[in-house]
Amino acid sequence: MAEEEADDESDSAMEEVIVTATYRDTNLMDTPISITALSEDQIIDKGIHNIFSLYNNIPGLNLKKATSGFNDISIRGITPYAEGNGSPVGAYLNNMPIGSTNGDAAHFSIPLFDLERVEVLKGPQGTLYGEGTMGGAIRYITNKPNPAGLDFAVRASTDTMAHSSGFGHRIDGMVNVPLGDTAAVRAILYSRDMKGLLDAPGRGEDTDWEKETGGRLTVGFYPTDEFEIHAMYMDVDMTGGGPAIGFHCYEELRVDVNLIEIPSYPNEFDCSGDHNAQFDRDPYITHKAHPTLAGTDLDGTVDEYELFNIDFTWDLPFATLTGTWSQYDRYTKRAGDESPPHVNFSRRFVEDFNCGFSPSFSFLPTGECDVSTAPTINPMTGMGGIMAGQICYSTCISWAEGKSYELRLVSTADSPLRWTVGYYAKDNYRFDGTHAACPAEVPYAGILQTEVDGQSFDEHCSLLWLFNPGITPERQASIVKNFLNRFLFSGSRDENYVEESAYFGEVSYAITPQWEVTVGVRVADVQVQVDDYVNGFNPSNTIDTSFRLDDDTKTSPKIGLTWRPNDDWMLYGIWSHGFRPGIVQGAVVDRIAQVEPHRGASQAADDLYNFLVDKQTIQGDQAESLELGVKATVADGRVSFTTAFFNIDWTDIIIDIESFSPENIPEVSPFPFSYADNAGDAQTQGLEFEIEARLSDDLTLQAGGSWLWTAEIGTASAGNDARVAGSTALGVQVGNRIPASPEYTGSVSLSYDFELAGFRATARGEHYLVTEQWRGPDNERPTPSWHRTDMRLTLRQNNYDLAVYLNNAFDQVVAYERNQQGYNFGRARTFGFEVNWRM
């Protein structure tokens, strides 16, 4: 009888989860770091396909989605105010760093198929990982090629979404083929077609669609029990339609610009009333879609990347040596209509002032201003004047490539002393076109050219205006090139080179079986260089447009203490430090180029020039984190829970500053310009928890959440200086809440196992909650809170599963992003069917 009771208790105990966060196989509940881990089975059972369905299951992890392919990931409220040379959240694919080298908003779209596990580590991780991070790291760990035998798997789903049309699909396939007894190749291919949600005037329905195809090929070689080596290649291509932002033509005044945000062109929808009235009528409508662009390919997103990695593991008598070499190439393009927040202002500026602010401005060619009174009427809008076309089109292009190297030695001796040491280096290049080349569809494409160092570039068509049809393309080109793009809205291109090397490691010593102390350090050296090219302000190129930040050396220490009073309880505390590398900012180059010719003739110009030259290089921001955690297994192993309190002091925050040039400098734009500065400090403080309880042999409860009670700016110096008039931090005020840091996030799920018609069945219900949050530093407009309920029934038999699901069952409006450009929405109610088949 006692043996039967023991067996029952064993069957009801929670399954042990093994993680490799410390590069050793350890029990999750016995690892003194705040970690959330999801196994391959959990990823399938929860219906997780991408970062948007993943992040809700990770307490403390948050997502800010600007548009297709541009996703900011934050942990514990550490969300950048301005882009730096790295993301606060690092990402690793196996041992390959893939995250922070691509900027803050460029998280890779990793296919969440054929993964052994996903691990999310909270807090700075530089002493364990070569790519240092301030907020934490996400690890995607793939299944290895297996020489033991042929294996394959398929995961396929189709669904239909409310407020949309048609059926979307996702198909993933894997095959594992042995190559003799000591080698194997493993390949996956996938295709995704996600239908859109937004309707746009003149463009049709479901404009925000996404399509993605990709694959991953890994070859593994295992010549001995002590040595293995892998080579991996991954390729992903994503395209997204546009507009992808819901803009409701709401009649609200922008605080920062004081302009009414209404479309400057006719549309078929009701625009009366305030924003809430617009939203309540139909949230899934966008007015960021000028009719002129209907049927063209001038709106949307492209994201293409390739990754290549070679890594090895060698078990030595005293330690395990791992090494990795990685390379990536990535191209992204984002294009769209920017008319609603810009056209009214610029039309009023150019036409009402008749291009004639001041005789000192010489950027407009003689005789061009008189076209502002031309009588031609645009039949599309019924308006006359120079900007009768009423559209502002913008596109941004970026491509990046880089290499990284990492060697790590991890002790394996069964001893109270354990250690890890490593070396890491990277060499990255990124090109950013603030605006892209003029599309061929516009009448003056190919006319706009800029010469830089003897090379001819297409002029970047930021704020590309479709003028009155009565104005010739040559005259339009002259106005765009000589006034709009060079004076009113100047554009630039910059090439960013980053070199970083780091030594890292930590040592743990078990003082007694109950007490363990850990100390670690990461020492990194960073060099950054930016070559900037400005659209035409200084054609003689008399200023140096290449700037370099050398020897930005940072030391990031870590101290930890762990107490294990018994086998079921662990308490720990960690103090750690993390940082982002500094930047060389090309944003000041265009203003330097304007001011430089007037040095010597104007003291104001000389002072402003020297001030801006000092701002060419900016140090990185940094964070000090204190974490106190508890992990425990109680009730005879039927209940496990983790909780962690954290406090993060974020200093030297890189913040964009807006300034005006002194009025007494002739031929220098009176419009605001911005530059970045280490102008702020902030603090985040909160509590995270996860609990899993086996309520019965067949019923399991899982819950997790985060309470971020403090996430606010403590100081926000605008860097005011007598040489720069009216400097203000862009919307950043003391006491403002940090963007993308909701006070509460949480999830709870119940799963019930039973038999149904000869199948092993699981019924699962999950509810997610994200409270209101600010998506901009000015705290001007909140992103509303949302909650969502998902339901799933899975039938299992032999080697296949059949699942039917209803996500967002009550059709709640889920908004990832809300700013002056509009909303980016999550999925509406979605009904689907999925099959998983594995050999």
Side-chain angles (χ1 to χ4, degrees):
M1 186 70 173
E3 291 180 0
E4 291 179 2
E5 291 178 355
D7 290 341
D8 290 342
E9 290 178 0
S10 175
D11 291 342
S12 299
M14 306 308 302
E15 181 181 356
E16 185 177 89
V17 179
I18 302 299
V19 296
T20 57
T22 61
Y23 284 93
R24 297 178 177 88
D25 290 343
T26 59
N27 184 350
L28 173 66
M29 300 301 293
D30 194 41
T31 307
I33 304 174
S34 182
I35 308 171
T36 298
L38 293 174
S39 67
E40 181 177 31
D41 287 342
Q42 289 175 310
I43 290 172
I44 293 174
D45 291 344
K46 288 175 172 285
I48 295 173
H49 281 285
N50 53 32
I51 188 67
F52 306 107
S53 49
L54 171 68
Y55 91 96
N56 286 137
N57 293 274
I58 312 295
L61 185 68
N62 199 37
L63 172 73
K64 180 180 179 183
K65 179 178 171 65
T67 187
S68 303
F70 286 74
N71 312 313
D72 286 334
I73 307 297
S74 66
I75 293 179
R76 295 178 171 175
I78 304 300
T79 305
Y81 283 90
E83 186 165 326
N85 271 310
S87 169
V89 178
Y92 269 74
L93 179 60
N94 296 328
N95 293 328
M96 176 184 180
I98 59 172
S100 62
T101 56
N102 284 272
D104 299 323
H107 189 88
F108 281 101
S109 176
I110 298 298
L112 300 185
F113 174 70
D114 196 40
L115 294 182
E116 178 183 330
R117 193 170 55 258
V118 175
E119 297 177 1
V120 179
L121 292 70
K122 290 79 173 282
Q125 302 297 329
T127 62
L128 285 172
Y129 296 87
E131 184 88 322
T133 58
M134 292 196 303
I138 303 175
R139 301 185 66 220
Y140 302 96
I141 303 167
T142 66
N143 289 317
K144 297 179 180 179
N146 187 357
L150 180 68
D151 190 14
F152 61 85
V154 175
R155 184 182 184 186
S157 64
T158 183
D159 57 42
T160 181
M161 183 172 59
H163 316 282
S164 185
S165 59
F167 285 85
H169 75 259
R170 170 118 192 184
I171 302 175
D172 303 89
M174 180 278 295
V175 61
N176 180 93
V177 180
L179 303 175
D181 296 332
T182 60
V185 59
R186 195 178 190 97
I188 74 163
L189 291 173
Y190 78 99
S191 172
R192 175 173 67 99
D193 183 356
M194 189 176 77
K195 299 304 180 183
L197 188 63
L198 297 175
D199 297 338
R203 194 74 63 84
E205 298 180 347
D206 308 337
T207 61
D208 54 328
W209 53 266
E210 291 184 18
K211 295 182 179 181
E212 185 174 278
T213 58
R216 184 174 68 234
L217 178 70
T218 307
V219 178
F221 180 47
Y222 313 92
T224 70
D225 292 339
E226 292 77 26
F227 184 83
E228 61 183 58
I229 186 169
H230 304 93
M232 182 189 71
Y233 172 77
M234 186 165 73
D235 179 271
V236 174
D237 294 330
M238 189 278 286
T239 58
I245 295 177
F247 183 83
H248 302 117
C249 62
Y250 41 90
E251 297 181 359
E252 292 184 9
L253 293 180
R254 287 180 58 186
V255 173
D256 56 338
V257 182
N258 196 32
L259 295 177
I260 298 177
E261 292 186 342
I262 58 174
S264 54
Y265 48 82
N267 61 76
E268 62 192 72
F269 300 110
D270 182 3
C271 283
S272 61
D274 61 13
H275 159 70
N276 291 328
Q278 295 294 327
F279 190 88
D280 291 341
R281 276 194 289 269
D282 189 345
Y284 305 127
I285 284 177
T286 182
H287 300 291
K288 288 176 62 67
H290 193 281
T292 304
L293 297 184
T296 68
D297 188 25
L298 294 180
D299 207 340
T301 300
V302 175
D303 190 354
E304 302 170 350
Y305 68 84
E306 293 180 303
L307 305 175
F308 183 69
N309 173 250
I310 297 175
D311 68 75
F312 71 87
T313 301
W314 187 11
D315 292 328
L316 303 173
F318 63 95
T320 297
L321 176 65
T322 61
T324 180
W325 173 85
S326 307
Q327 177 177 309
Y328 72 89
D329 293 278
R330 189 177 191 183
Y331 168 83
T332 59
K333 171 188 168 184
R334 178 174 53 183
D337 176 16
E338 300 291 338
S339 299
H342 294 298
V343 164
N344 286 337
F345 162 73
S346 298
R347 181 178 187 273
R348 190 165 61 243
F349 172 80
V350 175
E351 295 190 4
D352 293 355
F353 285 91
N354 289 320
C355 312
F357 281 111
S358 166
S360 63
F361 294 146
S362 59
F363 300 108
L364 273 176
T366 303
E368 291 294 353
C369 286
D370 58 4
V371 300
S372 64
T373 58
T376 306
I377 301 298
N378 185 339
M380 181 69 70
T381 64
M383 299 179 182
I386 188 173
M387 293 189 177
Q390 292 300 289
I391 184 172
C392 163
Y393 168 82
S394 178
T395 180
C396 304
I397 283 179
S398 175
W399 68 77
E401 60 184 18
K403 298 181 178 66
S404 65
Y405 318 82
E406 188 169 304
L407 285 173
R408 180 185 292 103
L409 200 59
V410 180
S411 67
T412 55
D414 186 10
S415 165
L417 181 68
R418 295 181 302 172
W419 49 266
T420 299
V421 295
Y423 172 76
Y424 167 79
K426 72 177 182 182
D427 184 358
N428 295 320
Y429 164 83
R430 187 174 76 238
F431 170 92
D432 283 307
T434 308
H435 323 114
C438 298
E441 289 85 348
V442 302
Y444 41 87
I447 297 176
L448 303 181
Q449 294 283 321
T450 294
E451 186 172 299
V452 178
D453 293 336
Q455 291 183 300
S456 182
F457 292 89
D458 285 342
E459 191 79 9
H460 282 192
C461 285
S462 170
L463 308 178
L464 175 67
W465 306 91
L466 300 187
F467 286 78
N468 188 308
I471 303 174
T472 66
E474 290 75 17
R475 292 180 72 112
Q476 294 181 36
S478 179
I479 296 170
V480 170
K481 181 174 182 179
N482 293 286
F483 184 70
L484 292 174
N485 275 2
R486 289 191 182 175
F487 179 68
L488 185 57
F489 299 104
S490 61
S492 65
R493 313 160 184 81
D494 63 76
E495 297 177 289
N496 188 291
Y497 303 85
V498 180
E499 297 177 5
E500 181 177 1
S501 60
Y503 296 91
F504 61 94
E506 61 180 46
V507 177
S508 297
Y509 182 71
I511 304 171
T512 71
Q514 289 76 39
W515 289 93
E516 182 179 68
V517 64
T518 300
V519 295
V521 68
R522 179 178 188 264
V523 180
D525 181 75
V526 183
Q527 292 87 39
V528 182
Q529 179 173 320
V530 171
D531 296 329
D532 198 279
Y533 306 97
V534 184
N535 289 355
F537 262 123
N538 200 301
S540 61
N541 200 28
T542 57
I543 67 168
D544 185 5
T545 59
S546 179
F547 310 116
R548 188 171 181 88
L549 172 64
D550 288 310
D551 300 324
D552 183 17
T553 303
K554 289 289 192 302
T555 300
S556 297
K558 171 184 175 180
I559 300 174
L561 184 64
T562 305
W563 178 41
R564 299 177 176 89
N566 55 52
D567 292 340
D568 296 327
W569 285 78
M570 182 182 70
L571 293 81
Y572 67 90
I574 300 173
W575 178 88
S576 55
H577 176 275
F579 77 99
R580 284 195 305 167
I583 63 172
V584 176
Q585 53 179 335
V588 301
V589 176
D590 58 345
R591 194 54 53 111
I592 292 175
Q594 293 179 52
V595 173
E596 191 271 343
H598 306 287
R599 295 181 65 200
S602 167
Q603 184 62 46
D606 196 60
D607 289 343
L608 179 58
Y609 176 86
N610 292 328
F611 174 82
L612 293 176
V613 167
D614 289 340
K615 297 302 179 184
Q616 291 170 4
T617 59
I618 302 298
Q619 298 297 310
D621 41 9
Q622 51 195 317
E624 293 184 9
S625 171
L626 175 64
E627 178 181 318
L628 303 175
V630 178
K631 297 186 177 184
T633 303
V634 297
D636 296 322
R638 299 171 68 94
V639 178
S640 65
F641 69 88
T642 67
T643 184
F645 161 82
F646 59 87
N647 180 88
I648 300 175
D649 291 319
W650 185 13
T651 58
D652 297 328
I653 301 175
I654 303 174
I655 293 177
D656 285 331
I657 308 297
E658 184 177 83
S659 294
F660 295 83
S661 299
E663 295 180 359
N664 56 345
I665 305 178
E667 298 186 15
V668 173
S669 171
F671 290 97
F673 67 95
S674 64
Y675 61 92
D677 205 354
N678 300 115
D681 298 329
Q683 182 186 43
T684 71
Q685 197 175 83
L687 186 72
E688 298 161 353
F689 77 94
E690 292 183 85
I691 185 170
E692 184 172 3
R694 184 67 64 86
L695 303 180
S696 70
D697 290 347
D698 301 317
L699 186 63
T700 302
L701 168 72
Q702 293 179 312
S706 174
W707 177 21
L708 192 62
W709 59 75
T710 299
E712 64 182 33
I713 283 286
T715 62
S717 167
N720 288 313
D721 191 284
R723 293 162 293 186
V724 182
S727 297
T728 57
L730 286 176
V732 183
Q733 302 295 327
V734 173
N736 278 11
R737 192 166 179 90
I738 298 171
S741 57
E743 185 173 1
Y744 300 104
T745 62
S747 66
V748 59
S749 72
L750 274 174
S751 60
Y752 180 63
D753 299 322
F754 59 100
E755 296 291 329
L756 179 65
F759 288 88
R760 291 175 292 112
T762 300
R764 175 186 293 274
E766 300 187 84
H767 189 77
Y768 301 99
L769 168 70
V770 176
T771 59
E772 179 181 88
Q773 57 190 303
W774 303 104
R775 287 303 187 174
D778 53 13
N779 284 192
E780 181 186 352
R781 294 193 179 97
T783 299
S785 62
W786 59 267
H787 58 92
R788 187 187 82 227
T789 301
D790 295 348
M791 302 177 183
R792 187 179 183 93
L793 175 64
T794 303
L795 305 177
R796 300 180 178 87
Q797 192 174 87
N798 299 326
N799 57 350
Y800 67 90
D801 304 343
L802 303 175
V804 60
Y805 58 89
L806 183 63
N807 292 339
N808 195 358
F810 301 104
D811 202 21
Q812 299 295 312
V813 176
V814 175
Y816 293 132
E817 173 85 36
R818 183 199 179 197
N819 54 35
Q820 57 263 43
Q821 295 291 330
Y823 285 86
N824 195 289
F825 292 109
R827 305 278 284 170
R829 181 175 55 236
T830 303
F831 176 78
F833 177 81
E834 181 176 293
V835 59
N836 287 279
W837 181 32
R838 62 186 67 85
M839 187 170 179

